[in-house]
Amino acid sequence: MGSDDVLRTHLQELRRGTVVVASLVALRRPDYGYALLQRLTGHGFAVDANTLYPLLRRLEEQGLLTSEWNTEESRPRKFYRTSAEGELLLRRLLDDLAAVQTSLTALIEGDPR
């Protein structure tokens, strides 16, 4: 496996969990799948539609997102929003992410602990 492949694999693993966090944050404001995909991509979260849509369905099944169909436009769209349960989980994930960042910073700076 070449170094580019190794890097790509590790970046994919690193980003897999952050896409969940980013989606829960972004969907504090209701949005539909394609708009969320564009917004995440615009913020540096390279996610494929074939990854995002199953993720949205899974988060909805877990009760972390709610959804409703908007049929007022010419094309019906399913809008997702972070649920109260999703917000609670998100707070815990953000706390853990901050703790990981603190630990990494300490390691990088050579903190002997």
Side-chain angles (χ1 to χ4, degrees):
M1 186 179 270
S3 63
D4 286 345
D5 291 337
V6 171
L7 175 61
R8 194 174 307 113
T9 298
H10 286 290
L11 287 174
Q12 182 180 20
E13 289 176 16
L14 179 64
R15 291 183 178 145
R16 188 170 286 135
T18 58
V19 170
V20 170
V21 173
S23 296
L24 290 171
V25 169
L27 290 172
R28 285 173 162 167
R29 183 182 85 205
D31 221 341
Y32 60 98
Y34 184 71
L36 174 63
L37 184 66
Q38 290 179 312
R39 195 155 44 132
L40 292 175
T41 299
H43 284 279
F45 293 93
V47 60
D48 186 79
N50 292 328
T51 300
L52 183 63
Y53 289 107
L55 172 67
L56 292 174
R57 285 191 295 274
R58 182 170 55 86
L59 294 175
E60 184 179 18
E61 287 170 6
Q62 293 172 341
L64 304 174
L65 296 177
T66 59
S67 70
E68 64 180 56
W69 284 96
N70 179 343
T71 56
E72 295 173 7
E73 299 178 24
S74 62
R75 185 171 172 223
R77 293 183 173 160
K78 190 173 187 178
F79 277 74
Y80 295 92
R81 179 182 201 120
T82 302
S83 68
E85 188 176 341
E87 185 64 37
L88 291 173
L89 178 71
L90 175 60
R91 286 187 202 138
R92 293 187 69 185
L93 292 174
L94 288 172
D95 287 345
D96 192 64
L97 191 56
V100 167
Q101 180 60 47
T102 299
S103 296
L104 282 172
T105 300
L107 283 170
I108 291 166
E109 293 174 352
D111 185 345
R113 289 193 196 199

